[in-house]
């Protein structure tokens, strides 16, 4: 009986640890899914296009003003929490700073390439890094986000920085896409002011 109980608990734990794919991300317009070297499905690119009638500012200026590529501090605090119960951190002195570099990488004609980082909140803070290629067309700006990676602010006992965004529910690719949309909307609002 004891062995059966241990086996049942192990099975429940293993089932609870597996994460299902977020199927809605496969049907989200503009999202390109690919596989990483381990065979996991990841968000490879995301494209969105926002229309305009008249621009009142330049694309490079708005990108420089609205995007942030500051260094990110990731700590090795142990984060315990769940949407269903109290969350807390166990302090630790270990942290790493991920240096980000210049925001704007290239301005060529009607195209601007930039690197930036943003964040979203899900029980704890998550950082999202990306490369943006913004292209001005006749009546719209095309925003292509690539090299999309994320990192939780509190990474537990091992802190390995930014990783690809898997399509698993626990990776919350939907919140990553929402954060990227907010970045495009910030730039677009600046252009239209």
């Amino acid at each position: 009986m004891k062995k059966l109980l241990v086996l049942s608990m192990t099975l429940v734990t293993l089932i609870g640890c597996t994460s299902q794919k977020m199927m809605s991300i496969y049907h989200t317009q503009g999202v390109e899914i690919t596989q990483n070297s381990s065979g996991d499905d990841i968000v490879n690119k995301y494209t969105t296009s926002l229309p305009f009638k008249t621009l009142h500012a330049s694309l490079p200026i708005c990108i420089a003003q609205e995007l942030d590529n500051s260094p990110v501090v990731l700590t090795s605090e142990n984060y315990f929490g769940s949407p269903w119960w109290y969350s807390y951190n166990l302090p630790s002195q270990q942290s790493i700073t991920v240096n980000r570099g210049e925001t704007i990488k290239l301005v060529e004609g009607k195209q601007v390439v930039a690197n930036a980082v943003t964040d979203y909140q899900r029980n704890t803070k998550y950082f999202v890094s990306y490369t943006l290629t913004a292209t001005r067309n006749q009546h719209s700006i095309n925003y292509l986000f690539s090299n999309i990676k994320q990192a939780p602010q509190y990474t537990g006992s091992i802190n390995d920085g930014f990783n690809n965004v898997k399509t698993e529910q626990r990776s919350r690719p939907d919140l990553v896409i929402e954060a990227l949309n907010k970045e495009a909307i910030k730039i677009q609002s600046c252009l239209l002011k």
Side-chain angles (χ1 to χ4, degrees):
M1 181 70 175
K2 187 177 180 181
K3 288 182 181 180
L4 182 61
L5 182 61
V6 170
L7 180 62
S8 297
M9 291 184 71
T10 304
L11 185 60
V12 167
T13 302
L14 288 173
I15 291 170
C17 290
T18 60
S19 183
Q20 296 179 350
K21 292 183 180 181
M22 180 175 283
M23 297 312 292
S24 62
I25 202 69
Y26 289 86
H27 305 291
T28 303
Q29 186 174 356
V31 173
E32 178 186 299
I33 307 292
T34 191
Q35 288 188 338
N36 64 12
S37 59
S38 302
D40 299 315
D41 286 357
I42 60 168
V43 175
N44 186 45
K45 295 179 183 176
Y46 172 61
T47 305
T48 188
S49 187
L50 299 174
F52 66 85
K53 289 184 181 178
T54 305
L55 296 180
H56 299 285
S58 79
L59 189 56
I61 288 173
C62 284
I63 287 175
Q65 287 177 348
E66 299 300 327
L67 298 188
D68 184 15
N69 203 31
S70 300
V72 173
V73 177
L74 304 174
T75 62
S76 292
E77 294 180 9
N78 292 310
Y79 176 80
F80 292 94
S82 162
W84 302 286
W85 62 77
Y86 180 72
S87 304
Y88 58 93
N89 292 321
L90 299 176
S92 168
Q93 299 300 318
Q94 297 177 351
S95 66
I96 62 168
T97 300
V98 180
N99 291 317
R100 306 290 310 151
E102 296 292 322
T103 301
I104 293 183
K105 293 297 193 187
L106 174 71
V107 177
E108 188 174 285
K110 296 181 179 184
Q111 197 168 63
V112 180
V113 179
N115 288 332
V117 67
T118 187
D119 61 68
Y120 69 88
Q121 194 78 23
R122 186 189 115 216
N123 297 332
T124 187
K125 188 180 209 176
Y126 282 76
F127 295 101
V128 179
S129 69
Y130 60 89
T131 299
L132 170 67
T133 303
T135 306
R136 179 181 171 187
N137 299 313
Q138 188 173 358
H139 297 292
S140 66
I141 305 290
N142 187 59
Y143 298 94
L144 169 62
F145 296 92
S146 60
N147 196 29
I148 305 166
K149 298 183 183 290
Q150 71 175 340
Q153 182 178 18
Y154 302 107
T155 60
S157 60
I158 298 175
N159 191 325
D160 59 358
F162 287 84
N163 294 298
N164 291 322
V165 179
K166 294 181 182 179
T167 59
E168 299 170 350
Q169 288 185 13
R170 68 178 175 200
S171 295
R172 294 309 302 260
D174 58 330
L175 295 180
V176 171
I177 297 303
E178 185 179 308
L180 296 176
N181 277 328
K182 288 179 182 176
E183 296 288 89
I185 290 168
K186 284 193 310 188
I187 297 167
Q188 199 77 2
S189 295
C190 171
L191 291 168
L192 300 177
K193 285 182 185 177

